[in-house]
Amino acid sequence: GDSVTQMEGPVTLSEEAFLTINCTYTATGYPSLFWYVQYPGEGLQLLLKATKADDKGSNKGFEATYRKETTSFHLEKGSVQVSDSAVYFCALITSGTYKYIFGTGTRLKVLA
Amino acid sequence: GAGVSQSPSNKVTEKGKDVELRCDPISGHTALYWYRQSLGQGLEFLIYFQGNSAPDKSGLPSDRFSAERTGGSVSTLTIQRTQQEDSAVYLCASSPGGTSLGETQYFGPGTRLLVL
């Protein structure tokens, strides 16, 4: 079945460091891909998404490119801030369905 | 406008008791979803409601779990005879139509359930 694999955390970085959180997927058909973020004590928020191959989603300085050839959707940010500390979830939804398939989440901790 | 709200935010119960978790979706959203987030695991789909259609219950882990949606709006997830493995965060989400590819789902803050 469809699945999402994320790098395990926690990831600890210093402020202004470069961030990469890896995400790969297995899916039948042509999925849409998402990154959600969960800040402490809050619900999941959509961070960015991409609906077809080679699309780049971006928001708040974060980017991720839909790579069909490598079945990946890695999340990147050039310079992280303390306020980026959160849990990040990669997810997919396949054509004709409505169920998100989520990865296990990656906790990011940014130190001042 | 108001987002998805859930209540209670935290619930502690004893093994064997029944619990009810409530979700108020965003006004006008016809699709509603329940997920479960267990410690160390990703989010697990439980159930989906779309308008007046029969719900997709394929993700419910056992017959102790049930959900209903009254009047196409508020939803209640009920867990009967709770077990310790039911301890998790239960998340509700809603979306405008539930049928478009890539439609964004908007999540509530969740209910943290602890079964002692």
Side-chain angles (χ1 to χ4, degrees), chain B residues 30-52:
Chain B
T30 61
L32 187 146
Y33 316 77
W34 283 97
Y35 294 86
R36 179 168 70 175
Q37 184 178 15
S38 302
L39 186 64
Q41 305 206 5
L43 283 82
E44 171 190 16
F45 167 83
L46 297 177
I47 189 169
Y48 161 72
F49 295 90
Q50 170 57 46
N52 295 321

Side-chain angles (χ1 to χ4, degrees), chain B residues 4-21:
Chain B
V4 177
S5 61
Q6 293 184 244
S7 60
S9 55
N10 291 281
K11 177 71 177 179
V12 181
T13 191
E14 294 178 348
K15 178 181 172 181
K17 301 282 190 183
D18 297 352
V19 295
E20 286 189 351
L21 313 180

Side-chain angles (χ1 to χ4, degrees), chain A residues 16-74:
Chain A
E16 299 184 1
F18 185 87
L19 169 71
T20 300
I21 300 178
N22 290 338
C23 171
T24 57
Y25 67 90
T26 302
T28 55
Y30 301 96
S32 291
L33 302 173
F34 303 80
W35 277 100
Y36 275 81
V37 59
Q38 188 174 31
Y39 297 104
E42 299 185 16
L44 284 170
Q45 301 174 25
L46 178 67
L47 181 59
L48 53 84
K49 71 177 185 182
T51 58
K52 61 182 187 296
D54 299 325
D55 269 2
K56 176 185 285 188
S58 62
N59 186 25
K60 299 182 181 181
F62 290 88
E63 293 183 341
T65 301
Y66 189 141
R67 302 284 189 200
K68 188 179 178 184
E69 64 276 13
T70 54
T71 62
S72 65
F73 193 54
H74 303 322

Side-chain angles (χ1 to χ4, degrees), chain B:
Chain B
V4 177
S5 61
Q6 293 184 244
S7 60
S9 55
N10 291 281
K11 177 71 177 179
V12 181
T13 191
E14 294 178 348
K15 178 181 172 181
K17 301 282 190 183
D18 297 352
V19 295
E20 286 189 351
L21 313 180
R22 176 187 168 103
C23 172
D24 279 275
I26 293 172
S27 177
H29 281 191
T30 61
L32 187 146
Y33 316 77
W34 283 97
Y35 294 86
R36 179 168 70 175
Q37 184 178 15
S38 302
L39 186 64
Q41 305 206 5
L43 283 82
E44 171 190 16
F45 167 83
L46 297 177
I47 189 169
Y48 161 72
F49 295 90
Q50 170 57 46
N52 295 321
S53 302
D56 176 354
K57 304 179 182 180
S58 61
L60 294 179
S62 78
D63 59 8
R64 296 186 295 104
F65 287 72
S66 62
E68 62 178 24
R69 189 179 184 192
T70 54
S73 181
V74 172
S75 177
T76 302
L77 176 68
T78 301
I79 309 173
Q80 295 179 310
R81 304 181 302 282
T82 52
Q83 303 296 311
Q84 289 181 331
E85 61 262 30
D86 299 334
S87 297
V89 177
Y90 290 82
L91 293 169
C92 176
S94 70
S95 66
T99 57
S100 299
L101 175 66
E103 183 170 91
T104 299
Q105 297 177 19
Y106 298 85
F107 285 80
T111 294
R112 187 175 301 274
L113 174 65
L114 177 61
V115 181
L116 300 176

